Amino acid sequence: MNLGSANFTAERRLELRLVRRRRRLRTLVIYTLLIILSIIALLPVMWMVAISLTPLNKVFQYPPRLIPDPLSLTGYHEAVTLFPFYRYFLNTSLMTAARVIGTVFSASLVAYGFARYDGPFKEVLFVFILTPIFLPEQVTLIPLFVGYTRLGWIDTYNPLVLPAFFGGSAVYIFLLRQFFMTIPTDLDDAARIDGASEFAIYWRIILPLAKPALATVAIFTFMASWNDFLGPLIYLTSKEKLPLSVGLSRFLGESGTTLWNSLMAAAVLTVLPPILLFVFAQKYIMQGIAITGGGAKG
Amino acid sequence: MRSREAMYLYLFIAPGLLGMILFHLAPMIVSFGLSFSEYEITSPPEFVGFQNYHRMLFVDELVGKSLSVTAVYAVVGVPIRLFLQLFIAMLLNRQLAGIRIFRAILYFPSVVAGVAIALGWILLLNPTYGAVNHLLWELFGIIGPRWLNSTQWVIPGLLLMSLWGIGPGIVINLAGLQGISAELYEAAEIDGAGSFRKFLHITLPMMSPILMFNLVMGIVSNFQIFTQAYVMTSGGPANSSLFFVLYLYRNAFEFFKMGYASALAWLLFAIILIMTLAVFRSSPLWVYYEAKRERT
Amino acid sequence: MNQHFSRRDFLKLAAASGTLLASGLPAWGQDMSELLVYWRNNPREIETMEQAFADFTADHPSYSVNFQQAAGGLEGDARLQALFAAGTPPEVFASVFNAGLVDYVYRDFVTDLTPLIERDAWDQSDYFDVALETFTFGGKQFGIPRGGIPSPLFYNKDLFDQAGLPYPPTDWEDESWTWDTMLEYAHALTKREGPRTTQYGIVIGSTLNWNQWPMLWGAQIFPDDAFNYGLTREHNFRDPVVVNSLQKMVDLIWTEEVAPTPEVSGGFGFFGPFNNGLAAMYIHLGAYTVANNAEFNWGAAALPRGEPSAQQRSTTFTGPFLIGSGSNVEGAWDLVKYLTGVDGQRTIMRGAVVGTSRQSLLEEWFGAMSPPTNELLAVQAGGYKHGLESPNVRLVGWGEIATLLSSEFDLMMLGERSAQEAVDALAPKLDVLLNEIYDKNIDKARTIFPDFPG
């Protein structure tokens, strides 16, 4: 390196400049693309925010307006007063927290088993666990409801929360299995030689390495639970136990009586927590597995 | 050693197996039984043999119609989504200033899910008052189509709307991209590989398990699409958005034909299962597992 | 300080959530005095319903009411059937979801109220007759009306004044008030700016009730006796009068261009264009309180006659209170008596779209509205005299029939087919469907109605 002649340095400088220029151009292209995509992504959302701020009788006007005139907060007022918004918010949060924790823990355990061990009927069992997601939930709804009624579980959170502690949705087992299978096994083997138990390998090696995947599953479970409509609608009967998703439907009327502004206002308030969670969880998703020969970083 | 390994397998997967048996198996068996019966809720199911299956396969024209509507939606939708998910994830997988904000923004539409958003889209796609056609006119001078009120445009309209829901796929891909060791790329660069070759020889193979997941889930969710049609189009106009599960729901709860609906559900089950198995079976050809390579 | 979410934190959270779960566990014992009320509602009605339940439980301390809504009807049918399947039916369910009342009768979802009415000598003379007829099949009454209004023609008085047109009549016997006159008015009231229509002469409400259009010409899509037991093999779609009436309706949109297209009116919701002052007349689905929210002077008038000689008829809307079979029938009956009694009606009619079921309260209800009460009373009286409930609550298998009708008529509504073409495609399919429904339910009909003739 330190043997480079003046000539070599000049050539190299030119090359570096070219590379830098190409890089800058590429960055520009990427930014442009990202900005266009962001506008496209945000438009419907901005539109809905606009509707939430529009008086009900001005919801339909031409041309459509992104900045309502006149501005009205009636939608937001009705959103938090027409049903016990804060109570439902709390219900949704608790139910969701339980489901996220249950799923992340149990689904990763099961996925680890499938990703790391072999045994008779493994493939069959995997497909077996996956099968419920192939059957439309509409046809198991009545049998499930009847079953839960017999158990006395109607109007409790059990039907909504307990399954999360037994693997949760098979989707997440599948997802985590796929992720775990991208993690090389040499670290497991090293730990095994050091005398670590199999559970310790799962707990101390795989879980920390798979934080991005776990954060992903946590977000998805959160979203699924936060937006779950059919489950609470069917299984919960006491009004004070309902979640936001069901509360939202209160603004939907028989044809033509939908309170559009309140509906959109409540929808806007409802999506804030998942957004905040995503911003928070991004750190974990992005921290990277990034295993190098020198060990794990991040 | 082999038997101990099998023991660990069963031990770790036990919660999932138990959950499947406790919460899913019984209702699935019941619905399978119901598919051979007539069941009108207040009276016990009556066994009718293969009558429901016969009707489904040879008599009811709407079964074929709804299956083809659903299949078109899935066949067009799944590849587009797979491509866009990966493309956008790769854009976002860069260390650029402000990238976190872009990630949040592009994920944002997926958070706004459920009935409210479906209803919002009715407004957006309204041919006269909706923002979509308004923008098409203002920006490009195009008179937009009739979207949900047109037999030709209703499926494209729903597909367009579904693209706002690809956020989860992007996140999965991002998490997957983060898992690819930077060393691999560095090594390729030293060998003089360009962007495209790096993508082809490193990104694609390393991402293939994730792509496989997105493919399977794309198949499952596209074949089971329900809410959009139920809330937005009621299957119309003229049955052009009569998705299979919507037709199933109507049979179950609006036509009082729970037995028949169960038969429909098991047909869909078989279709999705066969396609999923095809993906699994073909996976050794195109899916690359780091863990497997290390072991064998 | 480690800011990361550690696995220890994770375990703590898991323990916490376990505790939360346990708190959810207490077994659910069915409280016999709790009355479950389940219905599809509109958001404005909830408050007045809750008030009525509060008043009821104050009078009847042994009961509590659990009021649940499936707003907008979303998956309401699924929830309702799950309740029945599990043997925990609702005490009272009001209004209908996508399946109709008579379907519930044939599936044993509802209680025959006739013995209770006779036992308590419950006075029904104040209810509108049409409403009572609507819920009676083969001499058995299955519901008590929770409201009732015939469909009038709503119009925007301000726009009529601007155009210098006389108001349409309130008298249903007025032979000069015909479809053609209405069409003339509609043309005079339609305004265009270039290719855009800025004001529509008329707007067609929900098209789900196809029967309204033939009824203006004195015809019907099903024979009269179809509704006695809710079963029929016949329909009248091949009748040229029916075809003509449907064509005239569609012509308002595509030929005369005085009515908004389905995409415009669909985007608005059915009431939207009229309520926003964008349409001068509104036919169908009379919802007075919705019109009452409008920021202009409005009026109600008789529906026009197709021909001067044709006696036009009006669709009535009368949601029933139904009592779930196998529920706490006595408690439910007490509640229904309260809700349809004078006090209960006075409370719930304030928010009700379908007004009141009691003739004695009608004046009071109309009194809260902007048009003169005597005008509204005249329209209501004439409308009821020629009123007929829409077939949706009175035919077995309506869910399937309605699905077929709307899928066959969609293209007609979009201007891509004539009424004749649509009917030609529909009629044979409807023949098959009606026969299928008839054959499937005939045994059940004989069981429920000993005097069933078929």
Side-chain angles (χ1 to χ4, degrees), chain A residues 57 60 158 233 239 249-250, chain C residues 46 50 71 79 267-268 295:
Chain A
N57 60 356
F60 296 97
N158 295 352
L233 176 78
K239 208 183 278 173
S249 70
R250 191 164 177 168
Chain C
I46 296 173
E50 277 170 348
R79 170 97 167 87
F268 267 116
E295 293 169 352

Side-chain angles (χ1 to χ4, degrees), chain A residues 100 103-105 107-108 111 171-183 206-221 281-289, chain B residues 168 171-179 210 213:
Chain A
V100 169
T103 302
V104 168
F105 185 69
S108 63
V171 178
Y172 305 124
I173 297 176
F174 182 21
L175 177 64
L176 287 173
R177 180 192 93 131
Q178 297 302 90
F179 270 108
F180 293 168
M181 289 182 82
T182 64
I183 301 174
I206 299 296
L207 282 195
L209 283 178
K211 265 187 195 165
L214 295 176
T216 309
V217 166
I219 288 185
F220 293 167
T221 315
Q282 221 192 95
K283 184 172 73 179
Y284 291 95
I285 295 180
M286 294 308 145
Q287 101 192 131
I289 302 176
Chain B
V171 172
I172 293 174
N173 279 331
L174 261 176
L177 288 169
Q178 292 286 314
I210 309 300
F213 172 82

